[in-house]
Amino acid sequence: MSTLVEKIKSVEDEMARTQKNKATSAHLGMLKAKLAKFKRELITPKSGGGGAGEGFDVAKTGDARIGFVGFPSVGKSTLLSNLAGVYSEVAAYEFTTLTTVPGVIRYKGAKIQLLDLPGIIEGAKDGKGRGRQVIAVARTCKLIFIVLDVLKPLGDKAIIEHELEGFGIRLNKQPPNITFKKKDKGGINLTTVVAQSELDLNAVKQILSEYRIANADIILKEDATCDDLIDVIEGNRIYVPCIYVLNKIDQISIEELDLVYKIPHCVPLSAHHKWNFDDLLERMWDYLKLTRIYTKPKGQLPDFNAPVVLKDNDKTIEAFCNNLHKSILKDLKYALVWGSSVKYQPQRVGKEHELCDEDIVQIIKKH
């Protein structure tokens, strides 16, 4: 493993030595591709041998999963226990050194699992300890909270971001608008829809040669960088929203707090005094983009206590039926919907209909 870490170090050193200009951009692109390959090998070693080891698995519960990342002594545990204690139905879990599941909070009808990811910083990048498994858990989170000390936020923020970026987790970014398609023959075709400031045919060829790809069609639909192209070729990048939680605001002045509030994706709070938790939970809800759907049995009032929570972008009646039970869809005749997604109250819709948050649905089955 040390040889791979040494290789990564040598490539990073060469990148630091290389001047950035138009002439060296292709070479830098090739080095970045090499670095991405080494890092991928570090996370997923080629050999399938070795013992199974102890299980490092956190059972997924609830509708969404949030990972807490941060250095020791930034008040992460206080924040977790206070959040889980205030808004939780489950608070007492056994803590282990590597995984802490302090609880499941209920917020606006949705169950949200909170996970502490301790070993993510200490040597995870070099494949030490359980770093790799911790990263695997981090990649399954729907949202990441980076907990920082408000007195020294920027240095810690840069280290943590660098660590996560190295493992293919992209924070608060959209996937690059690049179409990449391998083919059997015909060389490399590069089509640019907008003017490019960094990538040209030579740079693209250099990056692809590192992956031993000689034939491909590439369409750049935005001003892309070398990193964007490498992300698309690697194809294993996870795009996760992230909130920076700046803790210990009781130690700074009001003027400094006004400045802190201008940082994007950031929520200042005090975990010890439980200040500003409502703002954090509101921001969390916005970033998770969950859709709550209430069920209405025939001839009864809607059940507002236990909504069906739809995740991701699939908010159709079909997804709603599958969430309840797989067999419902084949018996579905139509659905009646009340709410903001329909024009009439109620309206008869089919399985392709897209639902909005807090709609009420009644399923009508075939007889």
Side-chain angles (χ1 to χ4, degrees), residues 5 11 49-50 71 73 125 157 178 195-196 265 303 331 334 340:
V5 176
V11 172
F71 286 118
S73 76
K125 194 150 135 280
K157 176 174 178 267
I178 296 172
Q196 298 294 317
H265 310 295
D303 179 9
D331 296 334
Y334 59 88
S340 54

Side-chain angles (χ1 to χ4, degrees), residues 158-174:
I159 294 168
I160 294 171
E161 280 179 344
H162 182 67
E163 194 76 34
L164 293 174
E165 290 263 327
F167 280 109
I169 297 172
R170 301 283 176 262
L171 304 173
N172 293 327
K173 284 185 185 169
Q174 292 298 320

Side-chain angles (χ1 to χ4, degrees), residues 57-355:
D57 198 10
V58 185
K60 236 181 178 178
T61 57
D63 302 305
R65 176 184 254 200
I66 297 177
F68 281 72
V69 180
F71 286 118
S73 76
V74 292
K76 204 160 33 122
S77 302
T78 316
L79 174 62
L80 285 164
S81 53
N82 279 348
L83 263 179
V86 177
Y87 298 98
S88 177
E89 45 180 3
V90 192
Y93 269 87
E94 284 188 2
F95 292 171
T96 64
T97 47
L98 268 167
T99 51
T100 320
V101 186
V104 178
I105 61 168
R106 265 195 174 278
Y107 187 66
K108 293 191 177 180
K111 267 181 160 183
I112 295 160
Q113 183 185 30
L114 302 177
L115 280 192
D116 192 354
L117 303 174
I120 200 165
I121 301 307
E122 296 88 6
K125 194 150 135 280
D126 305 332
K128 281 188 201 143
R130 309 299 287 284
R132 207 178 292 138
Q133 293 98 315
V134 179
I135 294 291
V137 176
R139 288 170 70 99
T140 65
C141 293
K142 200 165 164 52
L143 172 66
I144 288 179
F145 282 170
I146 293 185
V147 187
L148 302 165
D149 189 333
V150 78
L151 299 173
K152 46 177 194 311
L154 293 174
D156 292 358
K157 176 174 178 267
I159 294 168
I160 294 171
E161 280 179 344
H162 182 67
E163 194 76 34
L164 293 174
E165 290 263 327
F167 280 109
I169 297 172
R170 301 283 176 262
L171 304 173
N172 293 327
K173 284 185 185 169
Q174 292 298 320
N177 198 355
I178 296 172
T179 308
F180 170 73
K181 203 171 166 188
K182 276 195 209 175
K183 51 186 187 176
D184 295 333
K185 56 187 178 186
I188 289 166
N189 288 334
L190 178 66
T191 312
T192 53
V193 178
V194 292
Q196 298 294 317
S197 58
E198 191 174 316
L199 285 173
D200 55 12
L201 187 60
N202 185 28
V204 169
K205 279 184 175 172
Q206 286 269 38
I207 291 169
L208 290 176
S209 70
E210 194 54 49
Y211 287 96
R212 294 188 170 83
I213 298 171
N215 305 296
D217 287 333
I218 295 153
I219 304 169
L220 304 175
K221 298 173 188 168
E222 61 180 19
D223 187 4
T225 62
C226 294
D227 294 320
D228 291 340
L229 181 60
I230 290 163
D231 284 353
V232 171
I233 297 167
E234 285 278 342
N236 61 353
R237 303 298 188 235
I238 307 279
Y239 295 87
V240 186
C242 166
I243 295 174
Y244 301 102
V245 180
L246 293 180
N247 192 15
K248 305 185 184 175
I249 56 168
D250 48 320
Q251 298 177 10
I252 60 171
S253 65
I254 294 288
E255 289 78 14
E256 288 171 311
L257 185 59
D258 286 340
L259 280 173
V260 163
Y261 244 110
K262 291 176 182 165
I263 303 170
H265 310 295
C266 155
V267 178
L269 54 77
S270 169
H272 182 66
H273 295 286
K274 301 184 185 174
W275 293 347
N276 210 17
F277 275 17
D278 48 354
D279 192 15
L280 176 67
L281 290 166
E282 198 56 52
R283 188 76 73 94
M284 171 195 83
W285 185 256
D286 289 346
Y287 279 50
L288 283 173
K289 293 188 173 73
L290 298 174
T291 307
R292 292 161 296 169
I293 309 296
Y294 302 112
T295 54
K296 183 188 180 304
K298 202 168 182 180
Q300 295 175 31
L301 289 169
D303 179 9
F304 289 114
N305 295 325
V308 173
V309 179
L310 300 181
K311 298 179 269 291
D312 305 320
N313 301 323
D314 197 3
K315 298 170 186 172
T316 56
I317 292 285
E318 186 173 354
F320 169 77
C321 291
N322 287 335
N323 200 311
L324 290 170
H325 197 276
K326 295 278 187 282
S327 66
I328 291 177
L329 197 61
K330 61 176 188 285
D331 296 334
L332 174 74
K333 190 176 182 186
Y334 59 88
L336 289 173
V337 177
W338 291 258
S340 54
S341 70
V342 289
K343 195 173 176 182
Y344 307 106
Q345 311 292 336
Q347 187 169 323
R348 196 189 267 213
V349 296
K351 65 178 183 180
E352 283 84 27
H353 175 73
E354 287 241 338
L355 297 161

